[in-house]
Amino acid sequence: MVEFAALYFGAPLAIALFLPPGHLFTALAVFSLAGMLLLWLTGGFRWRSLVRGWRRIPWLEVAGIALATLVAGWAILSWTRPGSLFLLLQARPDFLLVIFALYPILSALPQELIFRPLFFHRYGAILPAGKAAIALNAFVFSFAHLMYWSWIVALMTFVGGWIFGRAYLRYGFPAAFVLHAVAGNMLFAVGMGAYFYTGNVQRPF
């Protein structure tokens, strides 16, 4: 329980308070390596499960989250930052393609490893039952994004965490990874990089 609290609450809080925003990917890489070590030390985890289950990916849900992310991003930006709507798509479509290629591997994959297999396997014995475990998973996933200091980011990542956690338990790791990758790419496509780009982070103190 102490390790769980340190990993999922202490570390994100320290990052949000002290880590320079430009070091996010370094922190994510360290977290990923530490997570894999902890998963290996736990024992009993079927590593092959990370690459099994591609046939069970709910493609209708993938299409649904892509559409929902675009609509939600459009609504939020229309209300808060209309100048950011589809800005990257219009100004730098080449860079958007780079994001589409790299975000799934450099961001979505390590996050999913930390917040799905590690969370549910290593700490399964201390988790609540049923949907409460998914709710807790969504909460810690949202809390991990505290460094953005945005209630919009907190709300969107909570919803996303719930969807990804549910998909992991129901369909397996590939489904959670694909859903996360598609949702993230759609966020940048619609212009939500205004909230999710670390270069825009401003601490409220």
Side-chain angles (χ1 to χ4, degrees):
M1 291 179 68
V2 171
E3 180 186 288
F4 180 92
L7 181 66
Y8 291 113
F9 292 101
L13 183 61
I15 289 172
L17 293 175
F18 306 114
L19 187 73
H23 293 177
L24 173 63
F25 283 107
T26 302
L28 191 57
V30 173
F31 257 62
S32 300
L33 293 174
M36 291 303 93
L37 177 61
L38 288 172
L39 197 55
W40 178 73
L41 290 174
T42 306
F45 179 71
R46 297 180 180 178
W47 292 93
R48 291 183 179 180
S49 66
L50 297 179
V51 294
R52 287 181 174 177
W54 291 95
R55 293 182 180 180
R56 289 184 289 153
I57 293 176
W59 293 108
L60 188 60
E61 290 187 25
V62 173
I65 199 171
L67 179 60
T69 303
L70 285 173
V71 171
W74 174 83
I76 291 169
L77 290 173
S78 295
W79 174 43
T80 61
R81 301 187 182 186
S84 296
L85 266 172
F86 300 106
L87 180 61
L88 195 58
L89 179 62
Q90 297 173 17
R92 292 290 306 277
D94 55 332
F95 186 59
L96 183 60
L97 291 177
V98 173
I99 291 176
F100 279 3
L102 297 182
Y103 176 83
I105 303 300
L106 298 182
S107 185
L109 180 59
Q111 288 184 63
E112 284 306 304
L113 289 171
I114 295 168
F115 290 97
R116 255 51 79 177
L118 179 64
F119 179 93
F120 286 106
H121 180 70
R122 182 168 178 83
Y123 306 107
I126 63 173
L127 297 179
K131 292 183 179 179
I134 299 178
L136 178 59
N137 183 252
F139 179 80
V140 299
F141 183 69
S142 176
F143 189 77
H145 293 78
L146 176 64
M147 65 165 294
Y148 291 102
W149 297 103
S150 166
W151 67 268
I152 291 175
V153 171
L155 179 59
M156 295 192 76
T157 51
F158 180 84
V159 174
W162 187 292
I163 293 171
F164 308 149
R166 171 183 172 275
Y168 173 74
L169 294 176
R170 179 171 292 188
Y171 305 111
F173 183 78
F177 165 65
V178 170
L179 284 165
H180 190 159
V182 169
N185 279 345
M186 291 304 100
L187 282 174
F188 284 102
V190 76
M192 286 296 291
Y195 287 101
F196 285 87
Y197 173 53
T198 56
N200 293 337
V201 172
Q202 293 184 354
R203 291 191 175 103
F205 50 83

